[in-house]
């Protein structure tokens, strides 16, 4: 009951690319709209009379906090808000404190200079602490910026630091509100959707690649190495930092669509790590198959005397068993992908996996491998070993997706 | 003639960590000093009378462009400078153009609003083009910021846009000069050093791990899986993005120490990709060894009837040959690391590699594997296959480092 894995992944890739391009254009237009909205603070005289030159801060806010996804924008906006409030507050206190000591102009300057040095150094050190860097880096920068601007303004007795701080905060708030409204209500681009969809397509791509390699395993021809699906696997290996930042943005995003509050994004990172391991093993399978096909691919000694297509009967039996196992693994992966796509619980696949493990055991124990010749045994035994590892990892993935389904409240499938 | 691989990598790790911490503190103090220096524009009356409120832009510049490494600071500074000049210039032209058309206040506002929308959208789209995002993202942001601030100021007839643009540029230049002087001349932290050192330690760490696994291969005891060296390999797998940004920063850095202008940083990225592949294979070797030791590590069937330590004589012979080959591979890796560390050409290692390939060929062809029992053959044949792949990859690494040595002008070693 496993639907065939589509082999139109190339076509799907193009579709995804154009979709991504559309989203880039939407984002660009949204930034343009937000900029025009905050520019109205300058362009409309009644508004300009209210805020004056401080309107600059609204424009600056829009340019620096408007990010691609709603979560990133919200996160940066909140960081900026908190950084401004804390930095402005502390800056005012430091400025008033320096004035109240009454050491005169020079003493005042020295105290302010010292506070600039201390707060600047400490805040910079904090920025490099991994936990803070991950979520609050921008907030600390804004804290430093606001603190410095406010505290040094305080050295001139005619400057009202509270008034400056309040007005800047207000205009920053205006910029923030414009950003959030445009980002959330005008064709919102959610980091959570992007992360979720990328996981679904990773499952399906891996299923695809496994299926392709299984076909190659038993094919009579010497296939060319299939570059596209390998590139998919290779690009998956470097997904960690993208995943982490998307998960980070997704955490900032409010309830929307299918994702509730406190949706377990951390689990995705765990599943992502397992997917990377599966991709690693599949790349190794690919290398193994390729080494067995290119007779002189490895200089120095001949790996297999003939291409695998023309193996003896006993070898074909082993390979066909491997192909059958691999196809079932591909099915399980596809089921997992579909389960995530539709956010329904996947039917207990543990049975199938147990069965697959037994089948591999049979391949090994039935002395089939013993019948192979020395040179061939290395290639085929390695294939069996890698397949074993794929099965094991897919078992972990099944558990991971099941746990995710439990925590995230995937609905049960109608059958169960 | 291969010096023994040190097993004090843990100790070295601690040393590196404390070294990293020292550098973080140096960076923090440098930021503090720069902030105090630009604050003098506010604190010293004669200076403040010259620049006035525009001193704000100097402080802002220091806070946003002062990065950890000299290259990153220089890159951001240059980006900021060019972005400001281009944005300011275009902003002035647009403002003057809108005024000169003479459609009155409303028409003027509409033209300015339209230009804000168009430039904002187009620049945002450009920011997402991968090539621009990689090196010029910050410059485009600053372009947008300056353009907008200048063009909207132009709507008020009494505001002199040229004067604003010129003064801001001057104060930004002051901030930039302070940053660059402090960053380059006060305990400079070079991204190029960091990148180079991380490659040296990666070679040595991999050599270490290979040596450790070889020892485990023939040891009688059931060793616990050595987590530290695995973690080293695992962290190596995610090095791509760090490498890319460091190489990007290193390109901005001027001639210093051992690295000349146009030092081939791109080659490091290529070697890095190969190192990641080696790390992947070594992790697979580790899994293979572990699976063979934990008798019931893989549910469903028993992988090896006994732990490898108590294997029969014929098996021990194969394993000992593997151990010997692995040790030689570790030696080659260490030589490569030392060669990069001292920036001298490594002696032609091709001979050793050719020899290693022959040795593996002998292990396979001398029917030693045929003597093994079915269950064991999978584990040992996989080991042989993985070893073969390590040898092949190390061959590519040798070539990569040799090419790097040619392009970067490593000096010849005295022996050759």
């Amino acid at each position: 009951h496993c639907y065939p894995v589509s082999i139109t992944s190339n076509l799907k890739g193009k579709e995804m690319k154009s979709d991504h391009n559309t989203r880039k254009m939407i984002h660009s237009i949204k930034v343009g709209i937000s900029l025009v909205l905050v520019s109205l603070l300058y362009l409309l005289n009644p508004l300009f009379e209210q805020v004056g030159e401080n309107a600059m801060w609204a424009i600056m806010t829009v340019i620096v906090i408007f990010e691609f996804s709603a979560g990133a924008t919200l996160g940066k906006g909140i960081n900026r808000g908190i950084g401004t409030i804390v930095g402005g507050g502390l800056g005012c206190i430091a400025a008033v404190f320096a004035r109240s000591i009454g050491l005169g102009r020079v003493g005042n300057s020295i105290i302010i200079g010292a506070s600039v040095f201390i707060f600047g150094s400490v805040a910079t050190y904090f920025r490099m602490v991994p936990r803070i860097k991950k979520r609050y880096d921008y907030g600390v920068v804004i804290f430093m910026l606001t603190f410095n601007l406010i505290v040094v303004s305080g050295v001139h007795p005619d400057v009202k630091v509270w008034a400056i701080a309040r007005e800047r905060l207000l205009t920053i708030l205006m910029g923030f509100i414009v950003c959030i409204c445009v980002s959330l209500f005008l064709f919102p681009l959610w980091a959570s959707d992007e992360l979720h969809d990328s996981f679904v397509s990773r499952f399906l791509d891996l299923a695809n690649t496994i299926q392709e390699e299984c076909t190659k395993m038993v094919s009579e021809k010497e296939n060319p190495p299939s570059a596209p699906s390998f590139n998919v696997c290779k690009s998956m290996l470097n997904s960690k930092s993208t995943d982490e930042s998307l998960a980070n943005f997704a955490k900032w995003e409010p309830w929307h669509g299918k994702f509730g509050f406190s949706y377990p994004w951390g689990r995705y990172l765990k599943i992502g790590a397992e997917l990377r391991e599966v991709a690693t093993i599949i790349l190794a399978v690919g290398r193994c198959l390729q080494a067995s096909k290119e007779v002189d691919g490895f200089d120095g000694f001949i790996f297999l005397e003939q291409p695998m297509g023309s193996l003896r009967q006993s070898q074909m039996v082993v390979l066909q068993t491997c192909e059958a196992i691999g196809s079932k693994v591909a099915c399980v992966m596809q089921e997992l992908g579909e389960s995530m796509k539709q956010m329904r619980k996947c039917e207990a696949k543990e049975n199938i996996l147990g069965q697959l493990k037994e089948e591999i055991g049979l391949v090994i124990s039935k002395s089939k491998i013993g019948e192979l010749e020395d040179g061939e045994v290395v290639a085929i035994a390695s294939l069996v070993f890698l397949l074993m590892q794929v099965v094991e990892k897919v078992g972990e993935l099944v558990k991971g997706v099941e746990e995710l389904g439990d925590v995230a409240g995937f609905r049960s499938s109608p059958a169960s």
Side-chain angles (χ1 to χ4, degrees), chain A:
Chain A
H1 64 295
C2 169
Y3 8 105
V5 176
S6 72
I7 40 169
T8 54
S9 71
N10 251 358
L11 217 150
K12 208 190 68 193
K14 265 180 202 161
E15 214 171 80
M16 272 177 69
K17 207 170 171 185
S18 92
D19 182 51
H20 192 60
N21 217 12
T22 314
R23 288 193 295 151
K24 277 186 187 171
M25 297 229 253
I26 290 176
H27 171 63
S28 304
I29 291 169
K30 280 163 71 177
V31 173
I33 292 172
S34 310
L35 280 176
V36 171
L37 287 178
V38 288
S39 296
L40 291 180
L41 287 176
Y42 268 93
L43 300 179
L44 300 179
N45 261 338
L47 286 178
F48 188 72
E49 275 154 24
Q50 288 288 317
V51 294
E53 271 299 314
N54 281 314
M56 178 176 92
W57 291 93
I59 292 181
M60 214 181 282
T61 304
V62 169
I63 288 176
V64 292
I65 79 172
F66 209 122
E67 294 279 325
F68 192 75
S69 65
T73 309
L74 203 55
K76 257 192 152 176
I78 291 172
N79 262 306
R80 181 162 193 127
I82 294 174
T84 308
I85 291 171
V86 176
L90 277 179
C92 286
I93 291 170
V96 169
F97 172 76
R99 267 186 212 176
S100 68
I101 282 186
L103 288 175
R105 164 109 191 139
V106 176
N108 198 349
S109 294
I110 290 174
I111 291 174
I112 287 176
S115 71
V116 165
F117 179 77
I118 291 167
F119 277 87
S121 299
V122 172
T124 306
Y125 192 82
F126 264 97
R127 274 183 75 187
M128 290 180 287
V129 174
R131 285 178 66 107
I132 292 175
K133 189 185 179 69
K134 217 169 115 194
R135 292 201 81 179
Y136 305 108
D137 184 54
Y138 186 65
V140 180
V141 173
I142 293 299
F143 163 80
M144 282 167 74
L145 185 61
T146 317
F147 176 82
N148 274 296
L149 292 184
I150 298 286
V151 81
V152 294
S153 299
V155 84
H156 299 284
D158 50 323
V159 176
K160 293 184 188 68
V161 283
W162 282 110
I164 294 181
R166 207 192 56 230
E167 275 164 24
R168 281 194 192 157
L169 189 58
L170 268 180
T171 44
I172 287 173
L173 193 68
M174 282 180 212
F176 177 63
I177 290 170
V178 167
C179 279
I180 294 306
C181 291
V182 174
S183 179
L184 293 188
F185 301 124
L186 203 70
F187 300 102
L189 302 166
W190 303 106
S192 32
D193 280 345
E194 198 178 330
L195 184 62
H196 185 81
D197 292 348
S198 93
F199 269 77
V200 171
S201 72
R202 261 180 255 180
F203 273 105
L204 300 181
D205 284 342
L206 280 179
N208 232 332
T209 314
I210 295 172
Q211 186 63 59
E212 266 181 44
E213 294 200 342
C214 287
T215 317
K216 261 194 277 175
M217 228 182 257
V218 291
S219 76
E220 301 284 322
K221 286 171 287 180
E222 289 186 41
N223 313 49
S226 123
S229 45
F230 273 147
N231 286 345
V232 165
C233 283
K234 274 191 186 161
S235 69
M236 234 174 261
L237 294 185
N238 297 313
S239 59
K240 195 182 179 215
S241 54
T242 321
D243 283 0
E244 276 178 358
S245 62
L246 279 179
N248 195 6
F249 299 152
K251 278 180 197 157
W252 289 108
E253 284 176 3
W255 181 89
H256 74 98
K258 45 199 174 200
F259 309 112
F261 270 118
S262 69
Y263 189 81
W265 295 112
R267 302 250 168 195
Y268 278 72
L269 298 183
K270 232 177 103 194
I271 294 177
E274 277 156 10
L275 281 172
R276 278 194 292 278
E277 291 197 35
V278 173
T280 308
I281 303 172
I282 288 171
L283 282 172
V285 172
R287 276 197 296 264
C288 189
L289 284 174
Q290 208 171 320
S292 69
K293 298 231 161 145
E294 294 172 6
V295 173
D296 48 3
F298 186 56
D299 307 338
F301 69 93
I302 289 165
F303 185 57
L304 266 189
E305 244 100 285
Q306 329 107 300
M308 264 201 193
S310 56
L311 290 175
R312 279 177 299 121
Q313 193 55 33
S314 62
Q315 296 153 354
M316 274 317 272
V317 172
V318 175
L319 284 182
Q320 275 164 355
T321 321
C322 287
E323 192 268 336
I325 295 172
S327 291
K328 280 179 197 160
V329 171
C331 267
V332 173
M333 287 296 283
Q334 184 160 20
E335 281 273 334
L336 287 177
E338 291 292 332
S339 140
M340 282 197 70
K341 190 174 186 178
Q342 294 162 25
M343 298 186 83
R344 56 165 175 71
K345 280 190 179 146
C346 69
E347 294 149 49
K349 286 288 158 199
E350 307 260 346
N351 306 343
I352 282 196
L353 287 173
Q355 197 185 319
L356 287 178
K357 285 178 189 174
E358 269 171 41
E359 281 180 33
I360 295 181
L362 284 179
V363 174
I364 297 173
S365 64
K366 262 194 184 162
S367 302
K368 277 176 185 157
I369 284 181
E371 287 172 28
L372 301 175
E373 280 167 26
D374 300 329
E376 301 152 354
V377 84
V378 174
I380 291 177
S382 303
L383 261 186
V384 172
F385 179 72
L386 290 170
L387 209 55
M388 219 166 75
Q389 290 205 310
V390 170
V391 170
E392 195 171 6
K393 281 289 155 206
V394 170
E396 281 172 28
L397 273 175
V398 169
K399 261 185 221 155
V401 174
E402 263 174 16
E403 280 172 20
L404 172 70
D406 287 341
V407 183
F410 283 8
R411 58 181 194 285
S412 308
S413 53
S416 71

